[in-house]
Amino acid sequence: DTRAVIADAQASLDAMPPLDGLEAELERARVRLAGERAMLAEARAEAEGINREAAARQRRLEAIASETGTWRDRGVNAQAQIETLMDRRAKADEELAATQDAPGEIELRRRALMNELQAAEAARTQAAITLAQSEADLAQADRQARQTLADLSRAREERVRAEERVGAAQERRNVIEERIREELTCQPSEALAIAEVNSDVQLPDASQTERNLEKLKAERERLGAVNLRADTEQEEITLQRDALIKERDDLVEAIRRLRQGIGSLNREGRERLLEAFEVVNVQFQRLFSTLFGGGTAELQLIESDDPLEAGLEILARPPGKKPQTMTLLSGGEQALTAMALIFAVFLTNPAPICVLDEVDAPLDDHNVERFCNLMDEMAASTQTRFVIITHNPITMSRMNRLFGVTMAERGVSQLVSVNLEEAERLREAV
């Protein structure tokens, strides 16, 4: 059986066409299949494009139908609006015809109202005059009443004082009569006869007499016993007086020299102050114009003609503004003005080193550039080394050398220095 199968298979194999022909046929079939697939893809793409175009045209038709309905509605609304406007125009024509005679009536009413207004104004003026007169009369009456009350009060006070004086005089009379009885051992009516004073003659002033009596008593008490050292004490007092006179003369001369020295110092101080003020004022005006890019500024001595006692006022006029005091400027303008004044004072006597601590903090970038330009100018014109503490990158970029503190490790600070001029030379060399 196996041999039969093998024989049949061999016969079938012999009966088959050559393999090369089959492969060529297979290749042609593959080519035809690829072409048909490409045609199928093109047909599908064309069908999809046609479907999309048909859908777009359908949507366009629907949109046109919707717009057509909208325009129809708008046409109906426009027709209704036209009819409304026609009705309004007809009514306006009727109103216009009805108001043709209105200007004349209005003019008559205006004239009548003007007449009434003039009459009312005249009445108001008369009422104002009457009111003013009444107020003046009332004020006069008030003044008279106050004056009467004041006179009454003064009269009462005078009466009380008179009564007090009478009572005091009575008490003093009683005291004097008692003293006469004690010291003269007689009645008061007998004192004139003892003093040999005529009652018809004007008596001397009692207070003056009392003072003279007390003075005489005091002199009598001071006399005391005879002083045997009076001559010696007189000589000692004379020597003391002469020494005091000499010391007084020396003191007066020292005061005169001191006042003369003070006057000389004041004159020299005024002259130096005025000279320094003029120099500072010129430098301030120049620096102000430099920092603001224009404008004017001025320093003025106020409140006194003496420069040593006068105050200082700053008048500044930035570009495009009116002259005004420093308190009316903005924060940045105040900072620039103060900077100009400080540097103007500094330039009168430059120091070897100048430390500026964040003076550019309130400035914007444009004004920081102006500040840096001023620093370059001052560094070139003076021998001063400027040390600037800043956080502004513009200012740091204009410096010759930078010093910074960094913390590479936590808690460990390190000072870092960068020479910008050397860095620029190295960059240009590269």
Side-chain angles (χ1 to χ4, degrees):
D1 295 333
T2 304
R3 292 177 180 173
V5 172
I6 292 173
D8 292 337
Q10 185 64 40
S12 298
L13 181 62
D14 294 338
M16 290 180 63
L19 185 59
D20 294 336
L22 292 175
E23 289 179 355
E25 185 65 25
L26 179 60
E27 185 64 27
R28 286 192 295 272
R30 287 177 179 173
V31 172
R32 285 195 304 272
L33 180 60
E36 291 176 356
R37 286 180 177 176
M39 292 174 63
L40 179 59
E42 292 177 359
R44 286 179 178 176
E46 186 176 358
E48 290 177 356
I50 293 172
N51 291 333
R52 286 194 299 270
E53 185 176 358
R57 289 181 179 180
Q58 183 64 31
R59 289 192 299 271
R60 179 60 179 165
L61 289 174
E62 292 176 355
I64 291 171
S66 177
E67 291 178 359
T68 302
T70 302
W71 283 107
R72 287 197 186 110
D73 295 339
R74 292 180 64 180
V76 173
N77 293 334
Q79 185 63 33
Q81 185 70 19
I82 291 171
E83 293 176 356
T84 302
L85 292 175
M86 293 298 292
D87 294 339
R88 291 177 62 184
R89 179 178 179 181
K91 292 180 181 179
D93 292 339
E94 293 176 359
E95 292 177 358
L96 179 62
T99 56
Q100 290 293 331
D101 299 331
E105 297 176 358
I106 293 172
E107 180 64 21
L108 293 176
R109 292 178 61 187
R110 187 184 68 81
R111 291 178 181 177
L113 290 174
M114 289 297 295
N115 294 331
E116 293 178 1
L117 181 61
Q118 291 176 359
E121 184 66 24
R124 188 191 67 80
T125 303
Q126 184 63 34
I129 294 172
T130 305
L131 177 62
Q133 184 64 33
S134 300
E135 290 178 350
D137 295 341
L138 179 59
Q140 181 66 23
D142 290 340
R143 286 195 294 272
Q144 292 177 357
R146 287 194 295 272
Q147 184 64 32
T148 303
L149 291 175
D151 294 340
L152 179 60
S153 177
R154 284 195 296 272
R156 289 176 177 173
E157 292 176 358
E158 289 294 335
R159 178 182 175 183
V160 172
R161 284 196 292 269
E163 292 176 351
E164 291 177 354
R165 286 196 298 269
V166 170
Q170 185 66 36
E171 292 179 0
R172 184 169 177 78
R173 178 181 176 180
N174 296 332
V175 172
I176 292 173
E177 290 178 352
E178 186 66 27
R179 288 182 62 188
I180 290 174
R181 293 189 185 95
E182 292 178 355
E183 295 182 4
L184 301 180
T185 63
C186 66
Q187 296 297 324
S189 57
E190 300 174 355
L192 293 177
I194 296 174
E196 298 180 354
V197 175
N198 190 357
S199 59
D200 297 333
V201 180
Q202 179 69 31
L203 295 177
D205 183 63
S207 60
Q208 183 65 32
T209 303
E210 289 287 343
R211 286 195 294 272
N212 292 334
L213 179 60
E214 295 296 334
K215 181 178 179 182
L216 292 174
K217 289 181 178 179
E219 289 178 355
R220 186 190 65 183
E221 294 295 335
R222 284 196 300 270
L223 287 175
V226 178
N227 186 6
L228 300 178
R229 297 185 69 257
D231 295 337
T232 305
E233 292 177 355
Q234 182 181 5
E235 292 178 359
E236 294 176 354
I237 292 173
T238 302
L239 293 176
Q240 292 178 0
R241 185 199 64 180
D242 295 339
L244 291 174
I245 291 174
K246 185 176 182 303
E247 291 178 358
R248 184 201 63 183
D249 295 339
D250 294 341
L251 184 60
V252 170
E253 179 63 21
I255 292 173
R256 186 187 64 79
R257 290 197 301 270
L258 180 60
R259 289 178 176 174
Q260 183 178 2
I262 292 173
S264 177
L265 290 175
N266 288 337
R267 286 193 300 273
E268 185 177 359
R270 291 187 187 95
E271 293 175 358
R272 291 188 178 184
L273 177 60
L274 290 176
E275 292 176 359
F277 177 78
E278 292 298 330
V279 174
V280 171
N281 194 12
V282 172
Q283 293 287 353
F284 174 67
Q285 294 174 2
R286 182 181 67 83
L287 295 177
F288 183 89
S289 299
T290 301
L291 288 174
F292 281 88
T296 58
E298 182 182 2
L299 299 177
Q300 292 183 354
L301 297 175
I302 59 173
E303 298 179 357
S304 177
D305 296 333
D306 188 357
L308 297 177
E309 298 179 357
L312 181 64
E313 186 175 29
I314 301 175
L315 292 179
R317 186 180 68 82
K321 294 187 177 181
K322 296 180 179 179
Q324 52 191 345
T325 58
M326 187 172 177
T327 56
L328 299 179
L329 300 176
S330 63
E333 292 173 343
Q334 289 183 2
L336 289 179
T337 304
M339 195 180 302
L341 178 59
I342 292 173
F343 287 141
V345 175
F346 177 78
L347 287 176
T348 58
N349 187 15
I353 297 177
C354 178
V355 180
L356 303 175
D357 188 359
E358 295 191 20
V359 297
D360 56 354
L363 304 179
D364 55 14
D365 293 345
H366 184 65
N367 290 328
V368 171
E369 289 287 350
R370 292 178 177 176
F371 165 71
C372 294
N373 294 334
L374 178 62
M375 288 292 96
D376 293 339
E377 177 185 349
M378 294 181 65
S381 60
T382 62
Q383 300 297 324
T384 303
R385 289 295 184 92
F386 291 94
V387 178
I388 302 176
I389 302 171
T390 182
H391 294 284
N392 194 298
I394 298 177
T395 305
M396 289 189 285
S397 65
R398 298 285 295 272
M399 296 297 103
N400 297 331
R401 181 182 291 273
L402 294 179
F403 294 91
V405 178
T406 182
M407 186 179 293
E409 300 179 7
R410 185 177 181 84
V412 180
S413 299
Q414 182 180 1
L415 182 64
V416 179
S417 174
V418 178
N419 191 334
L420 296 183
E421 292 183 347
E422 185 67 23
E424 290 181 357
R425 285 196 296 269
L426 292 175
R427 186 185 64 180
E428 292 175 356
V430 174

